[in-house]
Every structure is written in C-alpha cells, then in structure tokens.
Amino acid sequence: MRVSEFYNLNRTQATLDFVDVDIENDTAVYIDPGAIRVLPDDWAKQSLEMISTFFHSVVDALQQGDQARVRELLIRLQEPNETHFGLSKGKSRGRGLGPFLVGKICNNLTMSKAARTGILEDLEDTALFVDKIGKDIVSDITTNVIRGMLISYTQSVCKMYGIPLEEGIYSGLAWDPQRREWCEEYTKLPVAKEKPLLLVPKAIVRYDLYLTKAEYFRKYLAPSLRDEELDNPASKLVKVAKDGHRSVNIEDIIAEYDKGKDSVADLTLKRVELFHSYKDDKRKNPSPLLTHDELSDVTGSPRVDYDTLLNAVLRIPAGQSGAQAYHRAVEQLLTALLYPALTHCIIESELDQGRKRVDISYTNVAQRGFFDWLTRQQVPCSYIFVECKNYGSEVGNPELDQLCGRFSPLRGKVGLLVCRSFDDKDRFIERCRDAALAQRGIVLPLDDDDLSALVDEVKKSLLPPADVTEMVFADRPDPQEFKVLHQRYRQLVS
C-alpha cells in the first residue's frame, strides 16, 4: 500500500511532489547528492551545506590521522528505513547501513589512497574509489545527513496534502552543519503501521548515482590509457595490422587496468585532470529527473492521465463557491503537466515573512525546453508563481497587479495567471504586455482553452511514432517545450 492509498489522498504519483513509496516495503530508487547539487532552491542549498560540511569533516579527520574523530562521525550512521528506499525484500530493514558495514566503511576510508591524497572532494566521489560504498550506501549516508531537511520537507508536504502528523516521534540523528556534530530530538512525523515515515522529493531520486566508476573508467580513463599504450613500443596490448596500423581494444584496457576501486584511485592520482574533466562534464549535463512513467513503474502507481486531470478543472462551475476546488484541480493538473521542468510545488506559499501569499509556487529545475530557455535568456525565474481565478466575470488589472506584486529579482519574475475565460483576451494580453515592457514581470495568462491546448501538446509529444520513418524524420515536439507558453511569452515581449 502506497502513502497516497494509506492516507486516501486521491492522487497518483504524477500529482505528488514526493515519491509515493510503499509504506512497508522498499522502492528501488536512491537519493543522489549530485541531484541535490544542481537544484536552485533554498531547501537544496541547505541540504548541500549539510552534506558538504559532514563529508569535509570526515576527510579532514582522515588526512589528520584522527581515527577517533572518523569513527565518531561514521559510527553514528543508522539504517534509514523511514524513506522505504532500496532493495530489501519484504519489509524495509535497511540492508544498506548497519554496524558491521559502517565499521568496514570506516576501515576502507582510512586505508583509501583517494581519501588520504585529497582526490575525494564530494560524498558521491566515494562510490568511485572506496570499496563497500555504492549507490545504496551513498543514499543512506545522504539520508542520515540531511534528515533534518527531510523532516522539514515531510512536515511541509503533509500540511499541503492533509496527511496527519503525530507528536513526540524520535527524529533519529541529523547533522548540524554549524556545530559539525550529530544531533537528535523529538518531532512531528506521519506514522503508518506504527512506523514513522520520511517523505522524499522526487526531484532528488534516481536509479543510480550521476557519477559511476564504470562510466568514468570507460569514457575518461580508458581512452587516455589506450593512447599511452599506443605510445609505448613495448606494449603487449597493441595489435599491429599488416599495413602497420597500431590499435588497442578498449575492452583489453579495461581487463588489464580495472582491478577494483583501489586501482582506479591509483590511476587517477597520476591523471587527476581526467577526474576533474569527468566531474565538470557531468555537472554541465546533470542526470535528468525520473519521468512520470519511470516513477509510476517503480512505485506501482497508475500512469498519468492528463485528460482526467483536465476534465477535473473544466467541470468545476465558475464562481466563488468553486474557488477552492478549482485551485486544487489546477494545481494537480499543472504539477503533472509541467514536471519535470517545474517541481517542489507549494500551495499558498508565503512571501515576505508571510505578508503576501501566492496560490501556487514551483521551483524551476528545467534542463531543456521553455523554462530552461527563460533561464538562458537571463529572465529571473528560479521560482514560477501561479494565481488561480475561478471568476465568472472579467479578470482585470487588480489580478494582474496582485501577481506582479509577488515578483522579485531573487524569487523570480515569471508567473501564470490561470482563469476560466476572458471577455476580451487580446485586451488582457496587452495589459500583460504593458507590465512586461515596464519590467514589472512576465505574466502569462491562461484560460480553459489554453490549458486544453497545453494538454494536447504534451499528449502529442508523448505519442509513439506511427512508423520508423516518422521516428527518424518527423519534427516531434519536445514535451517540455510548451509552445503555448512560448507563444504567449512572445506576445508580451515582441
């Protein structure tokens, strides 16, 4: 039974910001600190500070030979069953971390050349160079370190979705980045089947880490080693053709040199620039968020049904009596429709110390498409704001001014004004154009017809090709391009 089923949320995975895990068994995804590293919001920045200060504390202690400090930092790591991530069969039981394995990790880190010589810069690097550390261990360590942020996130989404919290739940250990020590307390958490839950944003989970030893070796170390072998007249790996052409098979390089993580560390020590190039390239091209279908498959949740979500909006009568239902229905539709470009939905988000509120806000994490294009155009849009107006009458200047008043250079200056219809749509677009040209911000007005067009566009982009010719040659739309939004933006700035 998934979280959404246990708490009767009447939502599928596509309309939830967290991973809709089974409340008893494990779900085969992992928290990737590399995914946290590229998120622009404050939650991610605070989480990254925790990860960085913890890992640097461990590395500093290793390089100073302070074994007591290393053990003090690592031995407190616990089995994080509350997230229900991993590959345990049957009920979650934290196969990743345990006292014996933590002891092995402590030994391996102490003996690791990568740790002693300064190659290790980030927690995720350990999966490349340190034995007994893989995606499951990195995920478990990350969970422990950012537990405080996950508790805060869990409390926030529980409030948003109406999930009850219980008082006096032991938090488990969490990292304090200021004191650089572990801390613990009692807090409020959801409890399912007598076990506390920690909910995790789907934006930070992956099937694997974004840095992997296999990719690093094959794409960076192996080509360099091949060139070195070709330059070596005595190389036993070089094959000489009848015409004198010399070649080295990459598979032979891997078989000869890849003897485990210690050997990869040794090879890297002499070619550190390759490792830095690998990390730089990966950060410029971060791993994409899991798709709706991937999340649905791994959680066993029904796949996204855009028509059902759209119809839930369209069937609500216009007017004040349906305002709250309209607000919630629009949020569910947009949360599904705009993912993975926009994530971390907050309903009735507070701004300016609570003096202002906005109906819906999203964090812009787009790696391509319209919202990424806005970022590259240097339009402030770290957050995208949405106001919902279920009016039966004309939307006018007060509603436009309200949304513009939520903008700021740091938060972002792009928003969607979603309403049922316009008496004179062209005139309202002109008002939005005036606001844009006066540098008050970009307000993209959308009515029922526009929402329907967005749904049609996304559905079309996801249709399988009719034949091989179409697959190869057709100009298929990008599901994150959102041409309806792009065209509306052009109307405001051209």
Side-chain angles (χ1 to χ4, degrees), residues 16-66:
L16 293 168
D17 191 66
F18 61 86
V19 183
D20 193 15
V21 295
D22 188 293
I23 62 170
E24 294 186 280
N25 303 315
D26 274 354
T27 298
V29 292
Y30 303 89
I31 296 178
D32 180 5
I36 299 173
R37 196 174 300 282
V38 299
L39 295 179
D41 61 8
D42 291 338
W43 186 91
K45 290 174 183 175
Q46 292 179 59
S47 297
L48 185 59
E49 182 187 8
M50 291 178 172
I51 296 168
S52 297
T53 54
F54 169 76
F55 187 65
H56 290 157
S57 296
V58 173
V59 171
D60 289 347
L62 285 166
Q63 293 178 346
Q64 293 167 15
D66 189 346

Side-chain angles (χ1 to χ4, degrees), residues 6 81-82 105 121 135-136 142 215 235 278 328 355 366 371 392 402 445:
F6 184 78
N81 296 324
E82 307 98 314
I105 291 170
E121 300 171 335
K135 60 186 178 183
D136 54 343
T142 304
E215 180 183 52
S235 171
Y278 175 52
R328 291 289 176 152
R355 293 188 298 274
F371 290 102
Q402 179 188 23

Side-chain angles (χ1 to χ4, degrees), residues 255-475:
E256 176 69 18
Y257 286 99
D258 187 2
K259 305 299 183 182
K261 293 185 177 181
D262 277 344
S263 70
V264 173
D266 282 333
L267 293 168
T268 299
L269 277 171
K270 301 171 185 176
R271 305 164 184 84
V272 174
E273 72 283 353
L274 295 177
F275 183 52
H276 291 157
S277 294
Y278 175 52
K279 292 186 70 172
D280 288 344
D281 291 346
K282 295 296 288 187
R283 286 178 179 174
K284 291 174 186 174
N285 299 281
S287 58
L289 279 67
L290 297 185
T291 67
H292 280 319
D293 286 351
E294 288 172 330
L295 284 164
S296 292
D297 290 345
V298 79
T299 61
S301 177
R303 294 201 171 192
V304 59
D305 185 339
Y306 293 111
D307 288 329
T308 296
L309 294 171
L310 175 63
N311 290 332
V313 174
L314 300 182
R315 68 169 175 258
I316 297 171
Q320 184 60 37
S321 62
Q324 185 174 8
Y326 177 71
H327 179 190
R328 291 289 176 152
V330 167
E331 177 270 309
Q332 291 199 47
L333 173 62
L334 294 182
T335 295
L337 198 62
L338 303 181
Y339 177 86
L342 305 186
T343 188
H344 200 177
C345 169
I346 301 177
I347 297 176
E348 295 184 351
S349 175
E350 292 187 353
L351 308 174
D352 296 335
Q353 291 79 48
R355 293 188 298 274
K356 296 177 182 177
R357 288 177 180 269
V358 65
D359 285 346
I360 308 167
S361 69
Y362 293 96
T363 299
N364 181 3
V365 297
Q367 297 175 14
R368 67 177 200 268
F370 173 69
F371 290 102
D372 176 53
W373 179 83
L374 282 179
T375 300
R376 288 187 281 108
Q377 297 301 307
Q378 299 185 332
V379 176
C381 57
S382 295
Y383 299 93
I384 304 296
F385 303 106
V386 182
E387 284 289 339
C388 305
K389 304 300 180 185
N390 191 44
Y391 292 175
S393 57
E394 173 73 342
V395 175
N397 282 331
E399 291 73 30
L400 175 60
D401 293 341
Q402 179 188 23
L403 186 48
C404 288
R406 273 55 181 161
F407 297 155
S408 77
L410 292 178
R411 289 194 293 258
K413 302 189 74 172
V414 178
L416 310 179
L417 182 57
V418 185
C419 65
R420 307 315 302 270
S421 63
F422 297 94
D423 291 341
D424 189 335
K425 192 170 186 177
D426 290 338
R427 183 176 64 180
F428 191 79
I429 291 173
E430 279 298 316
R431 290 172 175 168
C432 295
R433 185 173 185 273
D434 291 341
L437 295 180
Q439 299 186 350
R440 295 173 55 213
I442 304 296
V443 174
L444 305 175
L446 301 174
D447 59 16
D448 285 353
D449 290 341
D450 293 319
L451 293 179
S452 299
L454 271 171
V455 168
D456 288 343
E457 179 188 340
V458 171
K459 284 170 55 184
K460 182 180 179 182
S461 71
L462 300 175
L463 285 175
D467 54 42
V468 174
T469 302
E470 182 182 352
M471 187 189 313
V472 176
F473 297 109
D475 183 18

Side-chain angles (χ1 to χ4, degrees), residues 193-248:
K193 297 291 184 71
E194 301 181 349
K195 300 289 185 181
L197 290 173
L198 270 183
L199 304 178
V200 179
K202 59 189 181 186
I204 69 171
V205 302
R206 301 290 188 271
Y207 290 137
D208 204 347
L209 302 177
Y210 87 123
L211 299 181
T212 67
K213 181 178 86 64
E215 180 183 52
Y216 169 55
F217 198 101
R218 178 173 289 276
K219 294 185 178 181
Y220 289 80
L221 278 178
S224 179
L225 292 168
R226 179 183 58 191
D227 293 343
E228 292 173 22
E229 290 291 334
L230 286 170
D231 290 338
N232 179 7
S235 171
K236 64 181 180 180
L237 299 182
V238 173
K239 298 176 181 178
V240 182
K242 291 181 179 180
D243 62 0
H245 177 72
R246 293 162 57 84
S247 64
V248 177

